[in-house]
Amino acid sequence: MSDEYRTAMKEFGKRLENLAEELLDLLCENLGLEKGYLKKVFHGTKGPTFGTKVSNYPPCPKPEMIKGLRAHTDAGGLILLFQDDKVSGLQLLKDGVWVDVPPLKHSIVINLGDQLEVITNGKYKSIMHRVLTQKEGNRMSIASFYNPGSDAEISPAQTLVEKESEYPSFVFDDYMKLYAGVKFQPKEPRFEAMKNATATTGVNPVATVETF
């Protein structure tokens, strides 16, 4: 990669990271949380993690036989996605129905991950989504992930818990170790596994994995 490209991507990433933090503060305002609360939780002792991934989905003559990206929720915090402005494919699950997210030029799709569902005690939900292959057109996307630091302690915000929360408390790195093996499974068993592991000292979290 050229130095010019590296410089451009570094600036691109920094601006998106700043945007992600502004969005977190807006979520705090909407939830009645202290400004900066979510950023503080994400920080841990090492600071949040931020990364960008470029994906390419080539055309497929038989899209019904190939899955572009299987349905899943993202493990982390906040995802900022630049979609291809011409080729569709992204869908999200709403009320049990898959809904197309149409291409829209100069737009950013904001997605929430599992950590925000836990911290907000379910006030916000992580979104199940997938990507379908298309017969025509080469689809590209640029996704940037603003995630907690590896040692960040994740738990429901106390001001959002009226009674006992159904969500677990855990260290983000422990959740990621579990998620790596069950990414394409429902999130609820992951939450339950983390909750059980917290209650049982010295036991690593294990989620039930369905086999297809």
Side-chain angles (χ1 to χ4, degrees):
M1 291 184 287
S2 67
D3 290 340
E4 182 179 6
Y5 178 80
R6 292 177 186 274
T7 300
M9 286 301 296
K10 185 176 181 180
E11 177 64 20
F12 172 82
K14 185 60 182 176
R15 292 193 180 189
L16 282 181
E17 186 173 359
N18 291 339
L19 175 59
E21 293 184 340
E22 291 179 15
L23 290 170
L24 288 179
D25 278 342
L26 288 175
L27 295 181
C28 286
E29 181 179 350
N30 189 50
L31 292 164
L33 296 172
E34 177 186 0
K35 183 178 180 180
Y37 179 87
L38 290 172
K39 288 189 290 186
K40 183 178 180 181
V41 172
F42 275 43
H43 193 277
T45 65
K46 302 177 181 179
T49 58
F50 183 85
T52 296
K53 179 179 71 173
V54 179
S55 299
N56 177 56
Y57 301 89
C60 177
K62 296 182 178 181
E64 69 279 0
M65 299 181 65
I66 299 294
K67 295 178 180 179
L69 181 61
R70 286 184 288 167
H72 66 287
T73 61
D74 290 319
L78 202 61
I79 301 89
L80 299 89
L81 175 69
F82 284 87
Q83 287 201 91
D84 194 297
D85 61 0
K86 295 179 181 178
V87 182
S88 63
L90 177 63
Q91 292 185 327
L92 58 83
L93 190 64
K94 180 176 175 56
D95 300 326
V97 178
W98 286 105
V99 179
D100 291 326
V101 181
L104 185 61
K105 195 172 184 179
H106 303 312
S107 66
I108 304 176
V109 177
I110 307 300
N111 187 20
L112 306 183
D114 293 346
Q115 307 312 301
L116 282 175
E117 178 167 340
V118 173
I119 297 170
T120 67
N121 196 38
K123 297 293 190 295
Y124 286 107
K125 302 289 188 181
S126 57
I127 305 300
M128 182 73 75
H129 57 285
R130 67 184 184 184
V131 178
L132 302 181
T133 53
Q134 303 293 326
K135 279 189 175 182
E136 298 180 359
N138 193 76
R139 181 180 184 273
M140 294 194 69
S141 67
I142 304 175
S144 295
F145 300 81
Y146 186 97
N147 291 339
S150 60
D151 68 345
E153 297 182 1
I154 306 299
S155 62
Q158 287 302 308
T159 57
L160 300 179
V161 179
E162 297 178 1
K163 298 180 180 179
E164 183 179 356
S165 176
E166 63 182 38
Y167 289 96
S169 299
F170 50 83
V171 174
F172 179 60
D173 189 53
D174 291 337
Y175 187 84
M176 289 305 296
K177 290 175 182 176
L178 173 65
Y179 180 85
V182 292
K183 174 179 179 178
F184 298 108
Q185 300 297 327
K187 60 188 172 184
E188 290 79 11
R190 297 197 294 266
F191 292 155
E192 190 63 27
M194 296 307 300
K195 196 169 186 177
N196 292 338
T198 302
T200 309
T201 305
V203 177
N204 292 326
V206 178
T208 301
V209 181
E210 299 178 16
T211 303
F212 297 95

